Amino acid sequence: MLRVCWAIGGEELATFSVRDVRHVHQPVKYLKTLLRERCSIPVSIQKLLHDGHPLNDSQLQWRDEPMELMLVLASCHGQQDQDRKLLEKLNGELSEYAVRHGNAEVVRRLLDAGADKDCPAFSSLHFAASETVLVLAAGLGHLGVVELLLERGALIDGRRRDGRTALSCSGLNRHVEVSRLLLQAGAHPDLFDSYGMTALHDAALEGHVETVDLLVEYGAELDLQTWNSHGTPLIEACRRGRVRSARSLLAARASHDLSDFGGKTALHHAAQEGHKKTVELLLQHGADTNWQSCCGSTALIEACRKPNGEETFGRRRERRVYSNDTPYDWSIEWLSDGDDDRTADFHLRPDREPMHERFWRGNIQAAKLLLEARARHDLSDSGGMTALHHAAQKGHVEVLTLLLQHGAATDFQSSNGRTPLIEACREGHVRAALLLLEARARQDLSDSGGMTALDHAAQQGHTEISELLSTTCPCLDEP
């Protein structure tokens, strides 16, 4: 039997079986670790004595009869060199064990022994040696440790390498109570990180509604724009389809008509990404449907521009799950706040429609909402292209039908003289070209280069469209 007692007073602290530590390479060090787990005494301040002599990590002679060790606690109050070495051990254990594991009692003992409350977190994780222990504890959600560090006067707005503060890290990881504690202690809610984002931007972007409400309650600036893209928290929420976050921001009177660096408003981004419920929410709050960005694009034009597969995947975080060793059989999960009709698992198989067509459904619904809200379909971008041009260029038959039903001009010519029919024929979209012909789009119009739709189809080698244009469409003969 191995007994550990306090050197002062002789009170028994813990007992261990010799068999538990006899075959360990460094038995004394291992014994100190066991004492930390049982009694919350930091390893770095433990000094074990046997027969009045201090023991190093591997120095322990086992005996058959019961043994008794005495424990003395060290602190940084001795010689300067010894204090410096001990301080390094204290700070290392504070960041590596106590804060990371959320052991508030060990943290308290380490701080009492002289550990630095603002020491960097020595770890290969979480931006090594670049964040304070308060930032680390806040990011991990250890409320008791954060409270203790704040009581000891830890730097509340200290940053890590990417510029994020303890408040930003707790908000990103949905630790609402930690964020509340930091705000009550005076944490600044509007500090920018190296990405130009504040805590409210991060919370809105990730859809953490409780954190958004908390930051608004404590006076976070609603319309603060990032220094790189000039995006507001509302724009970030709408771009990712965070309906509940957007609703909270709008209820707090966040401006829906502020634009980012490219001149795009929250409505532009919601329509571009096909977030139907977000578009509907913005329209209910009176968002301007005809605002034109720096390149002249409206929200309707953005909804009619379907990105290709690579662009779609690049703009959204996704989780793919492969099964059956089949390259076509996988699922993708949209990471939203659960209040958007796009939040679902989509499955792609060889006998099903292409994945990008499923992504495009949200854009059709967004376009329909905008047209019902009297968005102008005759506005053109800097290239002179209307929403009908973009839909024809991408071959979106559903949205073409929708625009034609609302009276979109079929023969409007862009800056280079191209009509929607020319755009459809150049790209080889047969169904789109047929739909425009049925809507009596003129085939004889030519672009600035003097080429008609038939010329472009022939030049690109689209035989089916060339044959379609060469014959008279039956609908043209109807009165």
Side-chain angles (χ1 to χ4, degrees), residues 23-59:
H23 301 293
V24 179
H25 175 60
Q26 293 182 317
V28 175
K29 183 177 181 180
Y30 181 64
L31 188 60
K32 291 180 179 179
T33 303
L34 294 178
L35 282 172
R36 181 175 65 184
E37 293 176 357
R38 290 194 188 183
C39 308
S40 297
I41 301 175
V43 171
S44 54
I45 65 173
Q46 295 181 35
K47 286 186 178 181
L48 290 174
L49 307 178
H50 184 242
D51 293 336
H53 301 287
L55 300 173
N56 59 34
D57 289 342
S58 58
Q59 180 186 0

Side-chain angles (χ1 to χ4, degrees), residues 40-328:
S40 297
I41 301 175
V43 171
S44 54
I45 65 173
Q46 295 181 35
K47 286 186 178 181
L48 290 174
L49 307 178
H50 184 242
D51 293 336
H53 301 287
L55 300 173
N56 59 34
D57 289 342
S58 58
Q59 180 186 0
L60 191 59
Q61 299 296 325
W62 302 111
R63 300 175 183 175
D64 294 334
E65 65 271 12
M67 297 180 61
E68 184 175 283
L69 301 180
M70 309 304 292
L71 177 64
V72 177
L73 299 184
S75 62
C76 292
H77 302 295
Q79 298 180 4
Q80 185 175 0
D81 292 340
Q82 294 177 348
D83 279 356
R84 185 172 61 253
K85 293 179 181 179
L86 179 58
L87 181 60
E88 291 177 358
K89 293 181 180 180
L90 293 173
N91 292 342
E93 187 172 4
L94 179 64
S95 62
E96 280 297 305
Y97 173 81
V99 172
R100 192 169 300 282
H101 291 81
N103 194 323
E105 179 60 22
V106 174
V107 171
R108 184 187 66 79
R109 289 179 181 271
L110 286 168
L111 293 174
D112 289 342
D116 184 4
K117 61 185 179 300
D118 294 317
C119 70
F122 297 101
S123 173
S124 58
L125 302 174
H126 303 288
F127 296 85
S130 63
E131 59 183 347
T132 64
V133 288
L134 178 62
V135 175
L136 177 61
L140 294 174
H142 297 318
L143 182 63
V145 175
V146 172
E147 186 174 11
L148 182 58
L149 289 170
L150 291 175
E151 289 176 356
R152 299 299 179 96
L155 182 61
I156 194 169
D157 288 324
R159 300 170 182 265
R160 67 185 193 186
R161 187 177 301 167
D162 62 357
R164 288 197 169 108
T165 62
L167 180 62
S168 298
C169 293
S170 64
L172 276 172
N173 293 291
R174 296 179 183 266
H175 302 309
V176 182
E177 292 306 315
V178 174
S179 297
R180 186 185 305 277
L181 180 62
L182 290 166
L183 288 167
Q184 290 173 348
H188 199 304
D190 295 327
L191 295 178
F192 288 108
D193 59 22
S194 58
Y195 306 107
M197 309 276 281
T198 65
L200 186 58
H201 283 87
D202 287 329
L205 180 67
E206 298 298 333
H208 301 168
V209 186
E210 296 82 1
T211 306
V212 170
D213 292 338
L214 179 66
L215 290 167
V216 171
E217 178 186 346
Y218 278 85
E221 178 60 49
L222 297 175
D223 297 324
L224 198 62
Q225 294 177 291
T226 61
W227 53 261
N228 51 0
S229 66
H230 293 188
T232 64
L234 180 61
I235 288 177
E236 298 298 337
C238 293
R239 183 170 62 87
R240 195 66 72 84
R242 311 300 190 183
V243 186
R244 295 168 57 201
S245 297
R247 186 179 292 118
S248 294
L249 290 167
L250 288 169
R253 299 186 180 279
S255 176
H256 49 65
D257 287 329
L258 287 176
S259 59
D260 61 12
F261 190 77
K264 293 182 179 180
T265 64
L267 187 60
H268 281 81
H269 288 283
Q272 179 182 358
E273 301 296 336
H275 297 309
K276 173 190 171 184
K277 290 189 176 182
T278 311
V279 170
E280 189 174 14
L281 177 67
L282 290 167
L283 292 176
Q284 290 172 355
H285 283 79
D288 189 353
T289 57
N290 297 318
W291 177 277
Q292 291 182 282
S293 65
C294 296
C295 63
S297 177
T298 64
L300 180 60
I301 290 177
E302 293 296 338
C304 294
R305 287 175 174 171
K306 181 187 68 174
N308 60 39
E310 291 182 1
E311 293 172 333
T312 302
F313 295 151
R315 281 200 305 270
R316 298 177 173 88
R317 292 195 309 157
E318 61 188 59
R319 179 172 61 87
R320 298 187 180 187
V321 181
Y322 293 87
S323 61
N324 300 330
D325 297 325
T326 305
Y328 295 97

